[in-house]
Amino acid sequence: MSVTSTDSGTGTGSRPGTPTAPLDASSGQQQRHRLSRAGNRKINRVLHTMAIVQLRRPSAGRTYFDRRRAEGKTSMEAMRALKRRLSNVVYARMLDDQRRRETASPGGQSGAATDSSATGSTPHTGPSDKPHPGLTINQNSGHLRSAP
């Protein structure tokens, strides 16, 4: 799955599935914006939960929210700005994860050797993978018995 952006890094557009770009809802002299009802509602709920958690304790999110309020924004406007900022953080992390996946070795893990058992056709059985002789527990009765 590819992670792509439609706002070309300007921070003004919306990304696929993230309904955090504000829509104009102005009327007359009243200038307002609202969140789009379109997009992925689960992602919007997660962003809202992240914002609420950030506001409950002293954090970078709380500082950002308070700074927006001091600039004269309403609580809803400051919350919208915080959600957008959190969306940008999550999106940047998704891009980093995608870049890491694209540069990973054939085994799917960065740093995996090409001769590992995950990439080979025949898995290697080391001495710790083989059954050991001695006493075992019978799974059905819980009694000890000799291993074959």
Side-chain angles (χ1 to χ4, degrees):
M1 181 175 145
S2 176
V3 180
T4 59
S5 173
T6 57
D7 73 6
S8 67
T10 61
T12 57
S14 66
R15 295 184 186 91
T18 56
T20 56
L23 298 175
D24 187 37
S26 302
S27 175
Q29 296 295 323
Q30 181 69 25
Q31 297 291 319
R32 284 188 306 233
H33 293 86
R34 67 175 179 83
L35 289 179
S36 170
R37 295 286 179 200
N40 189 322
R41 303 306 298 156
K42 289 180 182 179
I43 291 176
N44 192 38
R45 180 177 171 91
V46 168
L47 289 172
H48 179 77
T49 302
M50 289 169 61
I52 294 298
V53 169
Q54 289 277 310
L55 294 178
R56 286 186 180 161
R57 297 191 179 183
S59 65
R62 182 69 204 192
T63 303
Y64 181 80
F65 180 86
D66 291 341
R67 188 170 64 240
R68 290 291 181 186
R69 290 285 292 146
E71 292 171 358
K73 303 285 186 190
T74 66
S75 291
M76 292 301 289
E77 290 170 331
M79 176 66 87
R80 186 180 315 108
L82 177 59
K83 286 181 185 181
R84 179 64 182 192
R85 184 176 178 135
L86 291 170
S87 172
N88 291 341
V89 169
V90 169
Y91 184 71
R93 181 59 185 258
M94 289 170 60
L95 285 177
D96 288 344
D97 288 347
Q98 181 178 350
R99 278 189 221 109
R100 233 178 269 118
R101 271 193 311 273
E102 290 170 354
T103 59
S105 67
Q109 301 284 335
S110 56
T114 57
D115 63 343
S116 70
S117 63
T119 60
S121 59
T122 307
H124 171 71
T125 305
S128 64
D129 297 333
K130 296 177 183 174
H132 296 282
L135 296 177
T136 62
I137 297 176
N138 186 341
Q139 297 295 331
N140 296 333
S141 66
H143 298 292
L144 292 176
R145 64 180 176 84
S146 294

